[in-house]
């Protein structure tokens, strides 16, 4: 018996990286997974792996930058599984660059796929969660906003801090409905992190050296397993918080 038996989880950006790791971990605990993303082949591969492990999953194509696509993805999840109990907002575009190089268009794209998409997806899932007696939402953020050197990360931090603000507000407003909302700031060996490490190898090496545990987290075993706990019954009194899953590197406060 898994701690998430009978639950339905919608996970965006679940075709690879952190989203995929979370999907694997939640499925292991018994949740049915709507594997949401833009690339069908990646979604199908993730679903196949879950099914091969004995879980239940279905691919759901969606672009989180498109409001109608988000609505359709939530509707499809309800059609497939009967409702939504768990939402993981993982997919987003994260604009990098110094302030003089950060165009309004790049920032707008990040905001559209980050806080705006988070707002839309939470709103779309809210009726189902309320009807089912509650739920849990995880919004993926980043410790980039509390970096020792914010140079080149202004747009990225603006996107993720906006998501954190929405997380806290939703937790306060929806607690009465039994809906918990948390932000998780992971360091994980995802394709996105690998692209950054390839582009900035010296900075990446210094980054890993600054982690007390001296390693980057595994998407499933470190990040996904922790998320499975956070959305499960054992964390039932925890809401409105930002949880750093980063080996002790960041300093929140």
């Amino acid at each position: 018996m898994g701690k998430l038996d009978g639950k339905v989880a919608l996970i965006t950006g679940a075709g690879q990286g952190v989203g995929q790791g979370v999907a694997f971990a939640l499925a292991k605990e018994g949740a049915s997974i709507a594997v949401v993303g833009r690339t069908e082949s990646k979604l199908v591969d993730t679903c196949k792996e879950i099914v091969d492990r004995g879980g239940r999953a279905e691919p759901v194509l969606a672009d989180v930058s498109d409001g109608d696509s988000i609505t359709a993805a939530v509707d499809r999840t309800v059609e497939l599984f009967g409702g939504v109990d768990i939402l993981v907002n993982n997919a987003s575009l994260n604009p990098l660059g110094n302030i003089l190089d950060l165009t309004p268009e790049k920032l707008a794209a990040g905001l559209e796929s980050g806080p705006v998409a988070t707002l839309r997806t939470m709103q779309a899932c809210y009726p189902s969660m309320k009807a089912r007696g509650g739920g849990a939402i995880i919004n993926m953020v980043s410790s980039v906003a509390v970096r020792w050197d914010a140079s080149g990360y202004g747009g990225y931090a603006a996107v993720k801090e906006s998501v954190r603000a929405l997380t806290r507000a939703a937790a306060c407003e929806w607690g009465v409905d039994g809906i918990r909302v948390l932000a998780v700031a992971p360091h994980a060996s995802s394709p996105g992190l690998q692209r950054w490490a390839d582009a900035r190898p010296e900075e990446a090496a210094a980054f890993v050296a600054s982690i007390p545990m001296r390693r980057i987290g595994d998407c499933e075993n470190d990040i996904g397993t922790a998320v499975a706990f956070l959305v499960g019954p054992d964390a039932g009194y925890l809401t409105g918080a930002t949880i750093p899953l980063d080996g002790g590197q960041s300093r929140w406060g």
Side-chain angles (χ1 to χ4, degrees):
M1 294 289 289
K3 293 185 177 181
L4 300 178
D5 283 350
K7 301 298 184 181
V8 177
L10 187 161
I11 305 171
T12 68
Q16 63 181 8
V18 171
Q20 184 184 66
V22 172
F24 289 160
L26 268 57
K28 183 178 181 180
E29 288 294 337
S32 298
I33 312 295
V35 179
V36 180
R38 294 183 299 176
T39 306
E40 186 173 17
S41 60
K42 293 180 180 180
L43 306 183
V44 170
D45 288 346
T46 299
C47 289
K48 183 179 184 304
E49 178 67 22
I50 291 172
V51 171
D52 287 347
R53 295 183 184 192
R56 185 183 180 199
E58 294 286 347
V60 178
L61 276 170
D63 180 351
V64 298
S65 296
D66 183 299
D68 291 339
S69 186
I70 288 174
T71 300
V74 175
D75 290 345
R76 178 59 175 159
T77 301
V78 173
E79 178 185 341
L80 287 166
F81 299 116
V84 179
D85 303 289
I86 299 163
L87 167 64
V88 180
N89 279 309
N90 170 67
S92 71
L93 298 173
N94 301 313
L96 294 172
N98 295 327
I99 294 299
L100 290 177
D101 300 322
L102 180 64
T103 66
E105 291 77 17
K106 288 181 180 179
L107 180 59
L111 293 170
E112 188 70 25
S113 69
V116 173
T118 295
L119 175 65
R120 286 170 169 161
T121 311
M122 290 196 301
Q123 289 175 334
C125 289
Y126 172 82
S128 180
M129 288 185 175
K130 183 176 181 181
R132 289 163 76 88
I137 298 172
I138 300 290
N139 295 324
M140 292 296 178
V141 296
S142 174
S143 61
V144 68
V146 292
R147 279 180 59 87
W148 57 96
D149 180 1
S151 301
Y153 294 95
Y156 191 172
V159 166
K160 293 303 187 180
E161 285 298 274
S162 296
V163 172
R164 284 217 309 143
L166 291 170
T167 299
R168 179 65 184 166
C172 293
E173 294 172 14
W174 296 352
V176 68
D177 300 312
I179 299 172
R180 298 186 298 110
V181 193
L182 295 161
V184 167
H187 290 342
S189 52
S190 65
L193 185 138
Q194 188 58 54
R195 287 193 297 270
W196 169 75
D198 291 342
R200 305 184 182 189
E202 292 184 4
E203 185 176 348
F207 176 81
V208 175
S210 71
I211 299 173
M213 297 185 72
R214 297 298 191 275
R215 66 179 181 87
I216 300 293
D218 179 79
C219 290
E220 178 179 358
N221 297 318
D222 293 317
I223 310 305
T225 299
V227 170
F229 165 77
L230 292 171
V231 301
D234 293 337
Y237 197 52
L238 180 62
T239 193
T242 296
I243 311 297
L245 298 177
D246 60 5
Q249 184 200 52
S250 61
R251 181 178 178 181
W252 295 88

